[in-house]
Amino acid sequence: MADIKYDIVKELGVLSENAKGWRKEVNLISWNGGIPKYDIRDWAPEHEKMGKGTTLSEEEIKKLKEILGEIL
């Protein structure tokens, strides 16, 4: 399996934190040198490990905002 390289361009916010210190975060991340995308996933305290998550383009994050605005 190839190494996945990432650069957290901007930390946008923390949605929650569990008892072990892992946090579900929203960040702007460049994956493998690509264009930064919005990312929601669990991270270990020093970002040394990550859990499964989802990555969204700017268009997708705008659509998500629209959907959330309709239901909240």
Side-chain angles (χ1 to χ4, degrees):
M1 182 185 219
D3 285 338
I4 297 173
K5 299 194 184 314
Y6 64 91
D7 177 34
I8 300 175
V9 176
K10 186 171 185 179
E11 295 181 24
L12 300 171
V14 176
L15 299 175
S16 62
E17 184 172 338
N18 71 21
K20 294 183 179 182
W22 281 64
R23 301 183 307 181
K24 186 176 305 287
E25 300 181 9
V26 181
N27 296 312
L28 193 59
I29 299 181
S30 172
W31 295 100
N32 296 317
I35 295 170
K37 293 188 177 185
Y38 295 92
D39 186 84
I40 302 170
R41 75 181 59 244
D42 291 330
W43 288 93
E46 301 299 320
H47 293 130
E48 70 275 12
K49 292 181 182 179
M50 69 180 88
K52 290 183 181 179
T54 189
T55 300
L56 303 166
S57 67
E58 187 169 344
E59 183 177 307
E60 290 169 327
I61 204 80
K62 286 178 182 177
K63 184 65 176 175
L64 178 60
K65 179 182 177 188
E66 179 183 315
I67 292 167
L68 291 174
E70 291 173 7
I71 62 173
L72 297 177

